[in-house]
Amino acid sequence: MVKRVYNFSPGPAMLPLPALEEAQRDLLALPGVGMSILEISHRSATFKGIIEAAEENLRRLLNIPDDFEVLFMQGGARLQFGMIPMNFLRGKDRPASYVVTGSWSKLACQEAQLVGQVHVAWDGKATNYDRVPSDDQLDIKPQSAYVYICSNETIGGVRFPREPETGGIPLVCDASSELLSRPVDMSRYGILYACAQKNLGPAGVTVVIIRKDFVEACPDDLPSMLSYKKFAAEKSLLNTPPVFAVYMVKLVTDWLIREFGDLKRVADYNEEKANLIYDVIDRCGGFYQVHAAPGSRSTMNIAFRLPTQELEKEFLKQAEARNLYNLQGHRSVGGCRASIYNAMPREGVVALRDFMLEFFEENRHRLA
Amino acid sequence: MVKRVYNFSPGPAMLPLPALEEAQRDLLALPGVGMSILEISHRSATFKGIIEAAEENLRRLLNIPDDFEVLFMQGGARLQFGMIPMNFLRGKDRPASYVVTGSWSKLACQEAQLVGQVHVAWDGKATNYDRVPSDDQLDIKPQSAYVYICSNETIGGVRFPREPETGGIPLVCDASSELLSRPVDMSRYGILYACAQKNLGPAGVTVVIIRKDFVEACPDDLPSMLSYKKFAAEKSLLNTPPVFAVYMVKLVTDWLIREFGDLKRVADYNEEKANLIYDVIDRCGGFYQVHAAPGSRSTMNIAFRLPTQELEKEFLKQAEARNLYNLQGHRSVGGCRASIYNAMPREGVVALRDFMLEFFEENRHRLA
């Protein structure tokens, strides 16, 4: 029996064990194929079946209508930060409106500013990015090509409880740390994208769900890998895709469908897991301080602080002794963070909850 | 015992069995880590050790001097087609000289033409891309930022026997289908790059070896994932790299060093394997027709035709019955092709050679 720990990393993150086991079983040769998934041609019937099944799973789970393409790209969310403005803002006399709710939307905004006109519709700096804006706080330019959001900020653990109102302008959304964790209303999006290494699979593939009128609006003078139009025309096979990562997306979404059926159930499961932690935090009278304001709390990433850095250090050390790993906050902000994606089992969250309670009891006297 | 076939695919291609076995053994949890390679943080000490070892292996095998960066990027060779001119030609009053020896250098040339000034230094169209130019056939513009070549054209099976003379102008080279198959003279290159899925590992990572003065010459106004400068500044960890693919590059290069020691030995092994096939072809009096002209023959990809398409179909079918797979030519040219990268064992090549001889004996009467 292989020893595995509870891994609270923000990503790459835990994957469902059945998906890992299937990948391991077949790693030398896919059944009936005689070649490893790491060796098969991306033009083979076998891989065609895999990538189509991965797309079909995503369409089913997210209720993706036919007027959207589902693309498997490379380069992570970060390449999208550049590609989106290159395709929809460069050389155009209209801006996009960016909503800045934390590190990732800020970076996306900065990269877009290199390429085209950017209007900041809201910036959460005043309260240290602890919340998302209400609809009436948004200053959206009516002629915007799109309204950009990061639906769940991984570092701050801040998320939009639902899609913001944009006056009919399509959302372009980085959902890297929460895609597949709850239902979405696809009719609100021009582009909805996520890198895989949180809820979808291993690092190395980015799922980009893009409305066909966005695809058609792309210019013709971009290099092919940077053009949604040229990429979509080849159904993600413009060049060799990251075959193994796509295969893992298939296995992970297979598991999700088998285990939960639909995203409503996944969301309920995630709410319940997250509330185990938020409840403890709220019950410990300020010993643990959540970064996110009520109403903006993420179910995927819970960023919190302890009374002192010394206690935080001790907390992380003792956690590892309990098999609870990677609870440190992002290097840019410090503190602690528990990332509890779909594949983090409830037992892992319960173990963390119990540890947090005990650690509080043992150290509450140091709060004063 | 898992049944595995001889896979002559041009890429993704066969990987060394010991590398696959190690990846399989540890797929649920890396030894002493308790997490899968698919789940570990790219900022962890474990992964830092892996990516540094992969780089160290590449530096050792290719004799890469200190004035080069070794980058692990995404997007395949195709993203490089666009990135190279975006970084070194866009908005500049000087061209690059492109040598067109087949499909891949032609595509790179076309993508560069979207971005900046391109001069075609040679084009092999007149003889259907069956050879590389001699040095005196090259028409290189003296002020060129670089001279672009594809050192081994995977589709035609045509390669440069050595680096062409460029009058001191640095080469930018797509070595996707031959990197690590023979020694190179790094002093000739500004950039030497290869996607992994032939000799380096699985699809999903691109190794870019780039001279530091090229890195420094990059403009500041490109989105970060498209800037060699911004990417190199973060040592390939600007964002989450394709962790598993980098890990496989480490395992594959570990194997190469263990098994061969250096690239001179690898090259000897590959020459010998390729000659097993070329010799049969030459002995069969025109029954098999090699696409590549003498002097330009690849040791990695052998593209050939049979007297009729009907015979080719039969050849491919009978080959599979012998466990010899993926011998069809590229969909753009048809015919047959045997890709015999480092990880194709000599026994696989011998099996193909024997089959080719038998097929010739049985069907030679149909040659007339």
Side-chain angles (χ1 to χ4, degrees):
Chain A
M1 190 60 185
V2 177
K3 189 208 167 205
R4 283 173 51 85
V5 303
Y6 291 119
N7 175 11
F8 292 92
S9 170
M14 283 189 90
L15 291 172
L17 191 57
L20 288 175
E21 286 170 338
E22 184 171 342
Q24 182 182 45
R25 186 193 70 201
D26 296 339
L27 202 70
L28 296 194
L30 290 169
V33 176
M35 304 170 207
S36 167
I37 180 68
L38 305 177
E39 303 173 309
I40 61 165
S41 170
H42 58 295
R43 308 268 174 212
S44 64
T46 304
F47 183 66
K48 196 161 175 273
I50 289 168
I51 195 168
E52 284 175 0
E55 175 174 342
E56 186 47 43
N57 284 353
L58 289 167
R59 285 192 180 274
R60 173 170 164 184
L61 285 163
L62 290 159
N63 267 317
I64 302 172
D66 286 344
D67 61 333
F68 283 81
E69 301 274 2
V70 177
L71 306 178
F72 296 92
M73 307 189 81
Q74 295 187 61
R78 190 78 66 115
L79 183 57
Q80 300 301 312
F81 293 177
M83 275 185 71
I84 290 161
M86 287 172 83
N87 278 276
F88 307 111
L89 297 184
R90 189 179 53 114
K92 291 263 168 57
D93 194 28
R94 61 173 190 187
S97 292
Y98 276 68
V99 183
V100 179
T101 52
S103 306
W104 297 116
S105 48
K106 188 193 276 183
L107 255 171
C109 182
Q110 286 166 346
E111 300 235 327
Q113 283 164 339
L114 294 173
V115 178
Q117 287 180 42
V118 168
H119 168 73
V120 177
W122 188 80
D123 189 311
K125 195 174 179 202
T127 58
N128 195 23
Y129 302 106
D130 70 346
R131 69 196 64 192
V132 300
S134 60
D135 288 340
D136 58 8
Q137 290 175 312
L138 287 176
D139 169 35
I140 293 169
K141 282 258 184 290
Q143 70 275 35
S144 293
Y146 55 87
V147 174
Y148 186 96
I149 61 168
C150 173
S151 57
N152 184 79
E153 286 278 0
T154 325
I155 293 176
V158 161
R159 78 156 182 183
F160 283 87
R162 53 161 186 73
E163 287 90 0
E165 282 308 320
T166 58
I169 299 171
L171 288 167
V172 169
C173 175
D174 174 3
S176 287
S177 51
E178 69 145 9
L179 195 70
L180 298 186
S181 75
R182 56 171 167 166
V184 291
D185 175 2
M186 282 306 308
S187 74
R188 302 294 316 288
Y189 296 92
I191 304 179
L192 176 62
Y193 73 93
C195 59
Q197 64 267 20
K198 285 93 159 60
N199 268 328
L200 279 62
V205 65
T206 307
V207 170
V208 179
I209 306 161
I210 178 168
R211 222 167 63 193
K212 286 183 179 166
D213 60 328
F214 269 71
V215 172
E216 283 148 23
C218 295
D220 291 315
D221 62 348
L222 281 172
S224 53
M225 287 296 283
L226 301 175
S227 161
Y228 295 108
K229 192 195 274 181
K230 296 176 189 175
F231 197 85
E234 301 293 332
K235 293 271 165 209
S236 301
L237 297 179
L238 175 71
N239 69 341
T240 313
V243 172
F244 180 73
V246 172
Y247 164 76
M248 287 303 303
V249 171
K250 177 194 174 286
L251 297 189
V252 169
T253 49
D254 281 349
W255 168 80
L256 211 58
I257 290 171
R258 212 164 56 226
E259 201 72 16
F260 295 93
D262 61 43
L263 291 187
K264 177 70 181 65
R265 286 196 171 176
V266 176
D268 290 345
Y269 180 67
N270 286 325
E271 288 282 345
E272 202 255 330
K273 286 192 296 179
N275 284 336
L276 289 172
I277 304 300
Y278 284 122
D279 287 350
V280 154
I281 289 175
D282 291 340
R283 274 161 53 198
C284 291
F287 184 82
Y288 299 107
Q289 302 263 359
V290 184
H291 176 71
S296 298
R297 288 176 167 186
S298 169
T299 59
M300 296 285 101
N301 314 96
I302 304 177
F304 59 96
R305 303 216 68 123
L306 272 68
T308 64
Q309 285 195 14
E310 196 198 332
L311 275 169
E312 282 169 356
K313 232 172 124 175
E314 226 167 283
F315 177 85
L316 295 174
K317 200 178 144 190
Q318 289 185 29
E320 290 198 2
R322 307 276 191 112
N323 232 20
L324 310 170
Y325 277 73
N326 290 332
L327 283 160
Q328 66 280 12
H330 190 266
R331 64 212 153 96
S332 66
V333 296
C336 301
R337 175 176 49 172
S339 294
I340 48 175
Y341 300 115
N342 291 343
M344 169 59 71
R346 189 177 184 283
E347 307 87 76
V349 180
V350 168
L352 173 61
R353 190 261 325 258
D354 293 348
F355 167 63
M356 287 175 76
L357 271 176
E358 280 176 47
F359 192 85
F360 165 66
E361 291 300 341
E362 273 164 33
N363 294 281
R364 59 192 302 180
H365 62 279
R366 293 157 81 175
L367 184 53
Chain B
M1 189 64 186
V2 177
K3 191 211 165 205
R4 284 173 52 83
V5 303
Y6 291 119
N7 174 10
F8 292 91
S9 170
M14 282 190 93
L15 290 172
L17 191 57
L20 289 174
E21 285 170 338
E22 183 172 342
Q24 182 182 45
R25 185 195 69 200
D26 296 339
L27 203 71
L28 295 193
L30 290 168
V33 176
M35 306 170 204
S36 168
I37 181 68
L38 305 177
E39 303 173 307
I40 61 165
S41 170
H42 57 296
R43 308 269 174 211
S44 63
T46 303
F47 183 66
K48 196 162 175 275
I50 288 167
I51 195 169
E52 284 175 1
E55 175 175 341
E56 187 45 43
N57 284 353
L58 289 166
R59 285 192 181 272
R60 174 172 164 182
L61 286 163
L62 290 159
N63 267 317
I64 302 173
D66 286 345
D67 60 331
F68 283 83
E69 302 274 2
V70 177
L71 307 178
F72 296 93
M73 307 189 81
Q74 295 187 59
R78 189 79 66 119
L79 183 56
Q80 300 300 313
F81 293 177
M83 275 185 73
I84 290 162
M86 288 172 84
N87 278 274
F88 307 112
L89 297 183
R90 189 180 53 114
K92 291 262 168 56
D93 193 28
R94 59 170 191 188
S97 292
Y98 276 69
V99 183
V100 180
T101 51
S103 305
W104 298 115
S105 48
K106 189 193 275 182
L107 255 172
C109 182
Q110 287 166 346
E111 300 234 327
Q113 283 164 339
L114 294 173
V115 177
Q117 287 179 41
V118 169
H119 168 71
V120 177
W122 188 80
D123 188 312
K125 194 173 180 204
T127 58
N128 196 24
Y129 301 105
D130 71 345
R131 68 196 65 192
V132 300
S134 59
D135 288 340
D136 58 6
Q137 290 176 312
L138 287 176
D139 169 35
I140 293 170
K141 282 258 183 289
Q143 69 274 34
S144 292
Y146 56 86
V147 174
Y148 186 97
I149 61 167
C150 174
S151 57
N152 183 79
E153 286 279 358
T154 324
I155 293 176
V158 161
R159 79 157 179 181
F160 283 87
R162 55 164 185 74
E163 286 90 1
E165 283 307 320
T166 58
I169 300 170
L171 288 167
V172 169
C173 175
D174 174 1
S176 287
S177 50
E178 70 146 9
L179 196 71
L180 298 186
S181 75
R182 58 171 167 166
V184 291
D185 175 3
M186 283 305 307
S187 74
R188 302 294 317 287
Y189 297 91
I191 303 178
L192 175 62
Y193 73 91
C195 59
Q197 64 269 19
K198 284 89 161 59
N199 268 327
L200 279 64
V205 65
T206 307
V207 170
V208 179
I209 306 160
I210 177 169
R211 222 168 63 193
K212 285 182 180 167
D213 60 327
F214 268 72
V215 172
E216 283 148 23
C218 295
D220 291 315
D221 62 347
L222 281 172
S224 53
M225 287 296 284
L226 301 175
S227 161
Y228 295 107
K229 193 196 275 181
K230 296 176 188 176
F231 197 85
E234 303 292 333
K235 293 272 165 207
S236 301
L237 297 179
L238 176 72
N239 70 341
T240 312
V243 172
F244 180 73
V246 173
Y247 164 77
M248 288 304 302
V249 171
K250 178 195 173 287
L251 297 189
V252 169
T253 50
D254 281 348
W255 168 81
L256 211 57
I257 290 171
R258 213 164 53 228
E259 201 71 18
F260 295 93
D262 61 40
L263 291 187
K264 176 68 181 66
R265 285 196 174 176
V266 176
D268 290 345
Y269 181 66
N270 286 326
E271 288 282 343
E272 202 256 329
K273 286 191 297 179
N275 284 337
L276 288 172
I277 304 301
Y278 284 123
D279 286 351
V280 154
I281 289 175
D282 291 341
R283 274 161 53 198
C284 291
F287 185 82
Y288 300 107
Q289 303 264 0
V290 184
H291 176 71
S296 298
R297 287 176 169 187
S298 169
T299 59
M300 296 285 100
N301 314 97
I302 304 176
F304 58 96
R305 303 215 69 123
L306 273 68
T308 65
Q309 285 195 14
E310 196 198 332
L311 275 170
E312 284 169 353
K313 232 173 126 177
E314 225 166 283
F315 178 84
L316 295 172
K317 200 178 147 193
Q318 289 186 29
E320 291 198 1
R322 307 277 190 112
N323 232 22
L324 309 170
Y325 278 73
N326 289 331
L327 283 160
Q328 66 281 12
H330 189 267
R331 63 212 152 98
S332 66
V333 295
C336 300
R337 175 175 49 171
S339 295
I340 48 174
Y341 300 116
N342 291 344
M344 169 60 71
R346 189 177 184 281
E347 307 86 79
V349 180
V350 168
L352 173 60
R353 190 261 324 257
D354 293 348
F355 166 62
M356 287 176 77
L357 271 175
E358 281 178 48
F359 192 86
F360 164 66
E361 291 300 341
E362 272 165 34
N363 294 282
R364 59 192 302 179
H365 63 278
R366 292 155 82 175
L367 184 55

